[in-house]
Amino acid sequence: MTVTPPARSPRRRVPRNTLNPDRILDAAVALLDRHGPEAFTMRALAQELGVGTMAVYSHFKGKDEIIDAVNERLLGEIELPDGSGVPREQLIELCVGMYRLFSEHPSALQLLTSRPLRGDEAIAVIDRMLCLLCAAGLDPVAAARAQVALMQYTVGAALWVVRRKRAECEEAEAGLRERIRGRLADLPSDSYPSLVRLAPELVAVQESGPAQYEAGLGAMLDGLLRA
């Protein structure tokens, strides 16, 4: 008996004349957030859009141009303070905006740390940070050191959150948080007295997300601006 294989369902395509750079970048952001730059290809992006690969090439020259455009778009979401307020408060506003962006869009965080900065948006963020630090009274060397320190802290804090979220998703069934609490509860107090005593507080602040970041940011700025 001959078995006729089931017919393949045709790939769903977007209607004609609806593909545009904005739609391509929307899909690219979603794809990068889910799988990261390593898995990003023009073919995968075309499949995400439901079009042929050459249709994407009609709007962008290639993968690198799309990734740079994604980076520029995401960094453009950060609202830059106008410089008319208290420098410390505006620095907090700017840094919190970066932290929120990097936490919500892992792709922005990965692209920032894996590719050289290109485009006006990235340069504008750095320039505004330096401007506010100088307005707060820091000399050029101190302002440069402070800007790098704030960027490192913000990127590191966001990376911690992103990796923690991924670990929780991957180990959700195993109860990652409960296992951590159980591990801390089982530690011998004679060997780790401070850790055992402060375990509840440590777990609480690690789960506080933005509040913990802002607490650390405020303390860092107090030290940087006082110096």
Side-chain angles (χ1 to χ4, degrees):
M1 180 178 64
T2 303
V3 178
T4 304
R8 291 184 179 181
S9 299
R11 182 172 61 185
R12 183 180 60 83
R13 291 180 176 272
V14 298
R16 287 181 176 273
N17 302 320
T18 60
L19 191 64
N20 56 58
D22 283 337
R23 283 202 59 196
I24 293 173
L25 293 181
D26 287 342
V29 169
L31 196 59
L32 286 163
D33 279 343
R34 285 202 310 272
H35 303 297
E38 300 82 5
F40 183 85
T41 64
M42 295 294 280
R43 181 178 180 181
L45 178 59
Q47 290 177 341
E48 180 86 4
L49 288 161
V51 301
T53 305
M54 293 310 297
V56 182
Y57 278 107
S58 66
H59 294 277
F60 292 94
K61 295 178 181 178
K63 169 183 170 180
D64 287 344
E65 186 177 11
I66 292 177
I67 288 179
D68 287 339
V70 165
N71 206 15
E72 186 80 350
R73 171 195 271 200
L74 292 175
L75 290 173
E77 294 180 7
I78 301 173
E79 294 187 14
L80 300 180
D82 60 14
S84 61
V86 178
R88 183 183 184 280
E89 294 178 357
Q90 295 198 68
L91 281 164
I92 290 176
E93 178 186 343
L94 179 54
C95 289
V96 168
M98 287 192 294
Y99 171 81
R100 186 180 299 114
L101 172 69
F102 296 151
S103 300
E104 295 175 354
H105 290 289
S107 58
L109 181 62
Q110 291 174 293
L111 294 176
L112 181 70
T113 56
S114 63
R115 295 174 65 83
L117 290 178
R118 296 186 176 92
D120 294 339
E121 301 294 349
I123 295 173
V125 170
I126 296 173
D127 180 78
R128 190 57 52 87
M129 289 181 73
L130 290 170
C131 177
L132 291 170
L133 289 164
C134 290
L138 298 187
D139 62 52
V141 173
R145 289 188 179 279
Q147 190 276 327
V148 173
L150 289 170
M151 185 64 77
Q152 289 174 334
Y153 171 64
T154 301
V155 169
L159 183 60
W160 174 282
V161 170
V162 168
R163 288 185 173 176
R164 189 177 179 86
K165 287 179 180 177
R166 285 180 177 171
E168 290 173 355
C169 290
E170 292 171 358
E171 302 186 33
E173 296 182 1
L176 178 62
R177 293 188 181 185
E178 293 304 319
R179 289 196 295 107
I180 292 175
R181 291 191 182 96
R183 172 60 176 157
L184 290 174
D186 291 339
L187 290 174
S189 58
D190 55 339
S191 299
Y192 309 102
S194 296
L195 182 55
V196 171
R197 180 169 58 88
L198 299 177
E201 290 80 5
L202 184 62
V203 170
V205 297
Q206 286 185 347
E207 294 179 353
S208 63
Q212 169 59 24
Y213 168 75
E214 292 187 40
L217 176 63
M220 176 177 282
L221 280 172
D222 286 343
L224 292 171
L225 299 185
R226 186 182 303 117

